[in-house]
């Protein structure tokens, strides 16, 4: 997809395994953190979010963990499927307009 | 709901030409954002509007870039004159002021190639 770059981290997992994608953020004042999925030729698509006063949030097959001490965010995908292959971005929300600031993406490839 | 609609999907233009990208936000959303995505810099916020008014354009790279939102259902991003380094995918996103994180909806983007 358009977001793949020379320096984009990659993660390859076998179908059915769990995936863990990591992200470091910079703004300690951000009050929301979000994970987006971007498939080739499409815009970022919301997956799950977490407020800064939480450590963990679960969705359908996905879990987001937030460690504010080290400014680290992770996305866990259970039983990874071929349709999960995409670039995943973390983003933080801050500012008066609650604008998004994206982190660098990770290319997830699910192997059959 | 058709979502955020951007046009064109692809644009190839010669250096020096004017380029206009278009966006139709989701009806009722009062925030509109323009982002640019490149291999080297990832997704960058260029400018955003609230109730059709530009609020922060600090991300606009140069005076060659301009954006307008004449009404609640339409916005344009114009590059004049275009340069090869402007080649990127440009995304428009909209959001309702009442929703924070999950409320952002992105369009499918315009892939711009300046040759």
């Amino acid at each position: 997809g358009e977001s793949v770059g020379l320096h984009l981290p990659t993660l390859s997992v076998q179908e059915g395994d769990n995936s863990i994608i990591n992200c470091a953020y910079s703004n300690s004042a951000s009050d929301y953190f979000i994970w987006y999925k971007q498939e080739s030729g499409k815009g970022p698509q919301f997956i799950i979010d977490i407020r800064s006063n939480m450590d963990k949030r679960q969705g359908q097959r996905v879990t987001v963990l937030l460690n504010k001490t080290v400014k680290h965010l992770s996305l866990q995908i259970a039983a990874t499927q071929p349709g999960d292959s995409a670039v995943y971005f973390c983003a933080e929300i801050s500012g008066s307009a609650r604008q998004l600031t994206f982190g660098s993406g990770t290319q997830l490839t699910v192997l059959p | 709901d058709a979502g955020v609609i951007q046009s064109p999907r692809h644009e190839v233009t010669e250096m020096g030409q004017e380029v206009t990208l278009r966006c139709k936000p989701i009806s009722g959303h009062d925030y509109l954002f323009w982002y640019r995505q490149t291999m080297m810099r990832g997704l960058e916020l260029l400018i955003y509007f609230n109730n059709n008014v530009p609020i922060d354009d600090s991300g606009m790279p140069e005076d060659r870039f301009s954006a307008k939102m004449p009404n609640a259902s339409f916005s344009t991003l114009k590059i004049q004159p275009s340069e090869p380094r402007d080649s990127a995918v440009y995304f428009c996103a909209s959001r309702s002021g009442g929703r924070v994180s999950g409320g952002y909806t992105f369009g499918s983007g315009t892939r711009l190639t300046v040759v």
Side-chain angles (χ1 to χ4, degrees):
Chain A
E2 292 85 354
S3 60
V4 175
L6 292 174
H7 303 291
L8 196 67
T10 60
L11 174 66
S12 296
V13 298
Q14 292 292 137
E15 182 179 354
D17 287 351
N18 297 335
S19 303
I20 299 177
I21 301 172
N22 298 302
C23 175
Y25 65 91
S26 58
N27 188 353
S28 57
S30 295
D31 52 1
Y32 269 98
F33 300 89
I34 311 171
W35 280 100
Y36 281 90
K37 174 185 181 182
Q38 187 176 23
E39 296 175 285
S40 180
K42 297 183 179 179
Q45 180 183 11
F46 174 89
I47 301 173
I48 190 169
D49 63 356
I50 186 169
R51 293 190 68 163
S52 59
N53 61 356
M54 300 172 65
D55 298 321
K56 179 180 180 180
R57 189 170 186 217
Q58 288 184 291
Q60 186 176 14
R61 283 202 306 119
V62 295
T63 300
V64 56
L65 299 178
L66 175 62
N67 185 332
K68 294 183 289 294
T69 302
V70 294
K71 296 183 183 176
H72 183 267
L73 195 66
S74 69
L75 176 71
Q76 301 177 3
I77 305 174
T80 313
Q81 302 169 358
D84 295 327
S85 292
V87 178
Y88 289 81
F89 292 93
C90 63
E92 50 190 308
I93 287 187
S94 61
S96 58
R98 294 292 185 258
Q99 59 261 41
L100 282 171
T101 301
F102 283 89
S104 57
T106 297
Q107 172 74 58
L108 174 66
T109 301
V110 181
L111 306 172
Chain B
D1 190 342
V4 175
I5 300 173
Q6 291 187 246
S7 64
R9 286 299 312 273
H10 302 275
E11 176 79 38
V12 180
T13 190
E14 292 185 346
M15 181 175 61
Q17 296 298 306
E18 176 180 297
V19 176
T20 299
L21 312 181
R22 297 171 175 79
C23 175
K24 176 179 168 56
I26 290 176
S27 177
H29 282 190
D30 50 354
Y31 281 87
L32 184 140
F33 303 80
W34 281 100
Y35 284 85
R36 177 172 69 175
Q37 186 173 41
T38 60
M39 292 171 60
M40 297 308 297
R41 301 175 69 89
L43 277 154
E44 303 173 279
L45 176 64
L46 300 177
I47 184 171
Y48 74 89
F49 296 81
N50 178 215
N51 292 323
N52 313 338
V53 176
I55 303 299
D56 185 351
D57 64 354
S58 60
M60 297 284 260
E62 300 172 34
D63 291 344
R64 297 184 296 106
F65 286 68
S66 63
K68 295 182 179 179
M69 192 166 185
N71 56 63
S73 60
F74 184 66
S75 177
T76 60
L77 178 67
K78 184 178 294 186
I79 308 172
Q80 166 65 19
S82 58
E83 297 182 4
R85 59 194 168 119
D86 301 331
S87 296
V89 182
Y90 291 82
F91 288 102
C92 175
S94 70
R95 195 197 92 210
S96 169
R99 292 193 63 189
V100 180
S101 68
Y104 280 85
T105 302
F106 283 80
S108 296
T110 295
R111 177 188 279 276
L112 173 65
T113 303
V114 183
V115 298

